[in-house]
Amino acid sequence: MVLSGADKNNVKGVFAKIGGQAEEYGAETLERMFAAYPQTKTYFPHFDLGKGSAQVKGHGKKVAAALVEAANHIDDIAGALSKLSDLHAQKLRVDPVNFKLLGQCFLVVVASHNPALLTPEVHASLDKFLCAVGTVLTAKYR
Amino acid sequence: MVHWSAEEKQLINSIWGKVNVEECGAEALARLLIVYPWTQRFFSNFGNLSSPTAIIGNPKVRAHGKKVLTSFGEAVKNLDNIKGTYSKLSELHCEKLHVDPENFRLLGDILVIVLASHFGRDFTPACQFAWQKLVGVVAHALARRYH
């Protein structure tokens, strides 16, 4: 899966539009993921996952920051997320299937907040981007 | 048999009651063909699918999208027997249409995104849970008679 020039522009456009709300989007993405896919909660036994949890908000901020970083270095996502990739391989070991679930929830957040932004073309590009991020984060697993 | 809580049923029905089946169906199918272009393999007789604009404007895509989502409505009406509801359709998709069941999962996820874009804040996390569960059950039922 290769990101075309148009894909890259679409993705950059999304994150430019989202701007400072990225943190909020990150938190809501996690909230939705825990609600829609309860099995994802197994990775956070040490968190308070109740509504409005400060830990979820904080973690959502980190997740969003990583996506923003990847978008800002979209020509070299592997390079930009190399340390995160190491972390996921060596310490976190989140099963690869879960990155798709997170991606789905991020798309739902964008769609529900900003339907006009998520045209079919942008949807396609963003989906590809999220797949690419997941691939990078699981690339060193074995 | 799948268990649905009263809340899940309520969330599903309250959304479904406001869905424009023709519009949502057309949009969901168009997005499937655009976001996952390999799904176009099933629609070689649909004419022009050469660009997102062509796909969105394609009358066969619109008509088929409406057909698919109308059928989805049968699941909503028969939440307690989705397996039975789709038994024949499952056989059809296996024996005649030769559709990889993974495509049902892809379409289901797209439908959830389309609903989110239409309902905004009303498509709450609890709502998403119920609908992800429903599309998963539908996909499973459609794959059930494969051999």
Side-chain angles (χ1 to χ4, degrees):
Chain A
M1 194 137 15
V2 171
L3 293 174
S4 70
D7 288 328
K8 293 177 186 179
N9 283 334
N10 284 339
V11 170
K12 282 178 180 300
V14 167
F15 282 93
K17 194 85 208 292
I18 292 174
Q21 291 179 291
E23 291 177 5
E24 198 193 307
Y25 279 36
E28 191 181 330
T29 295
L30 290 181
E31 189 197 342
R32 283 184 179 275
M33 190 183 72
F34 294 138
Y37 307 108
Q39 67 271 25
T40 57
K41 295 190 292 187
T42 58
Y43 292 96
F44 299 90
H46 52 301
F47 266 30
D48 161 26
L49 297 177
K51 199 158 178 21
S53 156
Q55 285 177 306
V56 174
K57 284 200 167 77
H59 198 68
K61 198 173 156 181
K62 279 195 211 172
V63 170
L67 291 177
V68 167
E69 183 73 0
N72 287 340
H73 296 90
I74 204 163
D75 290 323
D76 182 18
I77 297 175
L81 300 185
S82 179
K83 290 219 159 35
L84 256 186
S85 180
D86 291 338
L87 182 73
H88 281 78
Q90 290 155 20
K91 189 150 175 284
L92 304 177
R93 293 170 293 183
V94 173
D95 192 286
V97 66
N98 295 287
F99 295 95
K100 197 169 189 287
L101 305 182
L102 181 80
Q104 169 74 359
C105 290
F106 185 74
L107 286 167
V108 166
V109 172
V110 175
S112 65
H113 283 251
N114 230 315
L117 183 59
L118 202 73
T119 63
E121 293 92 325
V122 169
H123 178 171
S125 299
L126 197 53
D127 191 82
K128 281 172 80 171
F129 168 74
L130 292 165
C131 278
V133 169
T135 298
V136 162
L137 291 178
T138 58
K140 301 175 195 176
Y141 272 31
R142 55 178 173 169
Chain B
M1 203 188 87
V2 182
H3 171 75
W4 301 96
S5 72
E7 194 204 355
E8 286 162 8
K9 288 188 180 184
Q10 190 268 322
L11 288 169
I12 289 169
N13 282 298
S14 92
I15 290 283
W16 188 252
K18 299 177 209 149
V19 165
N20 178 323
V21 171
E22 178 163 1
E23 283 306 317
C24 268
E27 191 181 341
L29 186 63
R31 280 182 188 259
L32 180 74
L33 299 174
I34 293 165
V35 177
Y36 307 114
W38 54 93
T39 58
Q40 293 170 24
R41 69 190 297 285
F42 301 108
F43 302 104
S44 51
N45 65 331
F46 267 30
N48 188 3
L49 298 178
S50 60
S51 71
T53 311
I55 291 170
I56 292 164
N58 185 311
K60 286 189 173 178
V61 171
R62 287 194 72 84
H64 196 67
K66 179 182 175 183
K67 185 174 180 184
V68 168
L69 202 61
T70 301
S71 167
F72 201 88
E74 291 302 303
V76 177
K77 277 206 293 249
N78 295 286
L79 289 176
D80 292 328
N81 185 23
I82 293 180
K83 273 200 304 234
T85 302
Y86 284 131
S87 181
K88 287 258 164 324
L89 259 184
S90 179
E91 286 169 11
L92 179 79
H93 281 78
C94 170
E95 292 159 14
K96 292 258 158 19
L97 305 178
H98 310 294
V99 176
D100 177 348
E102 179 59 21
N103 292 284
F104 310 139
R105 291 179 259 283
L106 292 179
L107 182 63
D109 276 353
I110 295 250
L111 177 61
V112 167
I113 290 168
V114 169
L115 293 177
S117 72
H118 282 245
F119 290 96
R121 297 225 116 89
D122 287 347
F123 197 69
T124 61
C127 227
Q128 187 185 348
F129 173 78
W131 275 87
Q132 295 284 177
K133 182 174 168 180
L134 177 59
V135 301
V137 168
V138 168
H140 184 90
L142 282 172
R144 199 163 168 272
R145 310 291 273 169
Y146 271 55
H147 57 91

